Amino acid sequence: MNNTVGTTGLVLNEPLLWEMGKKGRIGFSLPRSDVDPAPLDDGLTGTGPDFPDLSEVDIVRHYTRLSSWNFGVDSGMYPLGSCTMKYNPKTNEKQASLPGLAQAHPLLPPQLAQGALKIMFDLERYLAEITGMSAVTLQPAAGAHGELTGMLLFYTFHKSNNQQRSKILIPDTAHGTNPASAALCGFTSVPVKSGAGGILSPETVAGLMDEDTAGIMITNPNTLGLFEDNIRQVADIVHAKGGLVYADGANMNAVMGIVNMADLGVDILHLNLHKTFSTPHGGGGPGSGPVCVTRELEPFLPVPRVVMENERYRLTYNRPESIGKIHAFYGNFGIQIRAYAYILSMGADLKRASQFAVLSANYIKERLKGVYHLPYDKPCMHECVFTDQNQRKHKVSTLDIAKRLIDYGFHPPTIYFPLVVQGALMIEPTETEPKENIDRLVDALIAIAAEAEERPELLTEAPVKPKVRRLDETAAARKPCLSG
């Protein structure tokens, strides 16, 4: 436990505001009123909330201390598998806060919003080039919203061919939001069991695909961190039955500018700009889930579309086959600016970012292989999945390993996902962590594995350093206590 990394803020003690309050303290001062008081209508008065009496300094110092407790990519490594938590250059935040962009009103007439429209127009073209697709909409607010848009495109495409299909194939290695998105559009999800090696078997898909199936939703790379090697064969099988291929691009950080999705047979693809193209991920903040499509599906994209005529940009709603609007105005513009700045600043190095992300994950896989059970011993993409199989004989679980990692100063990886792996421990290092940090994480996990053999109680009682140790996570989610 010597020379651990991470923040020390997690061990600070801080009372609740209700414990700090003293009767009579106030946090503001106003000039003496020079008008007579007037009684309020009874309907406007009542018993106020039970807030404590606090001074300004009490409040400022309390929240300043609390802010240092946050763990994020600015304070330490965040190897959260399945959710790319990479460090994003702060210059992209600066570009998004430029007054001409941040304060641009969405109801500005096009002639006064040429800069904003150009960013959207160019960003669509950049994303199309990076993915190999033909056209892009920036409207979806996040990944799952992009999935919903994709399913609406499925429905509308088949309707345009006078077909009403009711089923969607969804592999067990897809993201968990896929079935929900399909269900929202009235489709029935048909689970597809992954084949040997954790990837899709064309034979399995062929056995399930029929003329009542609208298509398939594939996460590629999949949630095991593996590339779907058979995707071209799978796409041919689906297309032969008149179906479409949807690709969940949430794991695009492994293949940016490297894989041409259209060449793989993908018809619709969503991206998570907040995972792959700058913008810190997590915390429920605004995201952006653009949807990329083939030329055949472009007429169905949401309105409005940004078009350029005579070197000027404008919005057009004259799209009779469109699925309509799926977001207020034009999407989360601030996130689009960050992605635009990220792509311009990275240029051709976008590919290198993906290459480094894959290299980092494979380095971790090789160093931890044997220490932790590796269910799929093959080259991975941007993340690798282990299990707690080697530690179960010591009555140590994946949860115990993750909790112990907090004592070593690291945010835990994703655990118990993907569901197809029992006791999964999923690590995504990203391309932004230097080798020294990756080695510290690996060394900590090796030390924890040794502790599991020699002193398993260290893990089952972990974490011991933070003020709050093991939470009742179910009760915290279902019965949150937000007051003192």
Side-chain angles (χ1 to χ4, degrees):
M1 291 296 292
N2 293 327
N3 301 321
T4 57
V5 297
T7 62
T8 57
L10 292 172
V11 299
L12 289 175
N13 192 25
E14 181 68 21
L16 299 174
L17 286 176
W18 282 265
E19 297 169 348
M20 297 167 59
K22 298 291 184 185
K23 198 68 179 176
R25 287 183 181 175
I26 57 174
F28 61 91
S29 59
L30 297 175
R32 184 182 299 278
S33 173
D34 57 0
V35 297
D36 295 331
L40 286 173
D41 186 277
D42 289 343
L44 299 176
T45 63
T47 303
D50 180 27
F51 287 152
D53 292 1
L54 295 157
S55 69
E56 180 176 335
V57 71
D58 288 337
I59 296 171
V60 169
R61 288 177 178 171
H62 174 75
Y63 284 109
T64 299
R65 287 192 289 263
L66 286 187
S67 71
S68 69
W69 292 16
N70 288 334
F71 194 102
V73 290
D74 285 347
S75 55
M77 188 175 179
Y78 211 124
L80 198 65
S82 190
C83 289
T84 306
M85 299 292 285
K86 61 185 183 182
Y87 180 85
N88 292 291
K90 292 294 177 281
T91 183
N92 302 334
E93 301 295 315
K94 184 177 180 180
Q95 315 313 319
S97 65
L98 290 172
L101 298 174
Q103 297 175 18
H105 196 284
L107 290 179
L108 277 174
Q111 61 268 29
L112 298 179
Q114 286 295 298
L117 292 175
K118 174 177 171 51
I119 288 175
M120 296 165 63
F121 184 84
D122 286 350
L123 179 58
E124 287 186 358
R125 290 193 306 154
Y126 295 156
L127 295 177
E129 183 173 347
I130 291 168
T131 59
M133 304 298 283
S134 297
V136 179
T137 175
L138 302 174
Q139 274 196 39
H145 199 199
E147 295 172 27
L148 175 64
T149 303
M151 290 300 96
L152 289 171
L153 292 170
F154 266 46
Y155 173 82
T156 307
F157 169 80
H158 288 302
K159 185 179 179 182
S160 72
N161 291 323
N162 297 316
Q163 294 182 2
Q164 187 170 3
R165 301 192 175 204
S166 62
K167 298 184 293 185
I168 298 283
L169 303 184
I170 301 181
D172 56 8
T173 52
H175 275 122
T177 46
N178 289 179
S181 299
L184 279 174
C185 290
F187 292 117
T188 299
S189 298
V190 177
V192 184
K193 188 173 176 54
S194 51
I199 60 173
L200 271 177
S201 158
E203 293 75 19
T204 303
V205 175
L208 295 170
M209 187 67 202
D210 58 26
E211 281 77 6
D212 192 34
T213 302
I216 189 169
M217 296 181 82
I218 303 175
T219 298
N220 193 24
N222 66 27
T223 56
L224 292 170
L226 305 175
F227 190 81
E228 291 288 354
D229 296 332
N230 300 322
I231 188 170
R232 180 71 245 189
Q233 293 171 266
V234 168
D236 289 343
I237 292 167
V238 173
H239 289 156
K241 296 286 186 179
L244 296 174
V245 175
Y246 181 93
D248 183 318
N251 291 340
M252 195 73 184
N253 204 50
V255 293
M256 278 187 298
I258 297 173
V259 173
N260 184 311
M261 291 293 179
D263 285 349
L264 296 183
V266 171
D267 301 292
I268 302 172
L269 163 78
H270 94 253
L271 303 171
N272 286 4
L273 297 188
H274 50 285
K275 292 174 69 172
T276 309
F277 298 94
S278 201
T279 302
H281 178 45
S288 182
V291 169
C292 317
V293 299
T294 59
R295 187 65 64 197
E296 184 182 21
L297 292 165
E298 183 180 7
F300 307 115
L301 288 177
V303 290
R305 303 279 297 148
V306 182
V307 296
M308 184 175 70
E309 292 175 350
N310 301 321
E311 301 302 320
R312 304 288 290 175
Y313 301 93
R314 68 179 182 85
L315 296 167
T316 176
Y317 290 81
N318 185 21
R319 311 273 296 186
E321 295 182 277
S322 167
I323 63 173
K325 280 185 72 67
I326 50 93
H327 190 280
F329 297 110
Y330 323 111
N332 290 331
F333 182 56
I335 312 303
Q336 298 166 21
I337 298 169
R338 289 170 172 86
Y340 180 78
Y342 180 70
I343 292 169
L344 287 182
S345 62
M346 292 289 286
D349 281 338
L350 275 175
K351 290 183 179 179
R352 286 174 59 80
S354 285
Q355 289 166 345
F356 280 127
V358 173
L359 178 63
S360 297
N362 279 280
Y363 177 71
I364 289 176
K365 176 180 69 66
E366 289 301 314
R367 281 205 63 195
L368 288 179
K369 187 167 66 176
V371 178
Y372 293 91
H373 172 244
L374 184 66
Y376 298 98
D377 189 3
K378 57 192 296 189
C380 63
M381 299 302 289
H382 61 305
E383 55 196 5
C384 49
V385 179
F386 296 94
T387 82
D388 58 3
Q389 183 174 303
N390 295 350
Q391 286 73 41
R392 283 180 214 154
K393 58 188 173 187
H394 306 297
K395 300 188 184 309
V396 168
S397 69
T398 296
L399 179 66
D400 301 325
I401 296 166
K403 293 297 184 185
R404 184 59 175 161
L405 204 52
I406 296 174
D407 287 334
Y408 280 85
F410 291 97
H411 191 285
T414 295
I415 58 174
Y416 301 114
F417 184 83
L419 300 178
V420 291
V421 175
Q422 185 180 6
L425 182 73
M426 187 183 202
I427 303 172
E428 180 180 356
T430 80
E431 75 280 11
T432 55
E433 290 297 335
K435 181 175 179 294
E436 292 80 5
N437 285 355
I438 295 174
D439 280 333
R440 290 189 188 103
L441 172 70
V442 171
D443 291 343
L445 284 165
I446 292 174
I448 290 171
E451 289 175 348
E453 290 186 25
E454 298 160 5
R455 298 181 61 191
E457 70 279 4
L458 284 177
L459 278 69
T460 53
E461 295 174 0
V464 298
K465 284 193 170 183
K467 175 189 176 186
V468 180
R469 298 177 63 183
R470 291 217 183 185
L471 296 170
D472 183 341
E473 296 174 356
T474 303
R478 296 180 179 175
K479 299 178 181 177
C481 177
L482 305 178
S483 63

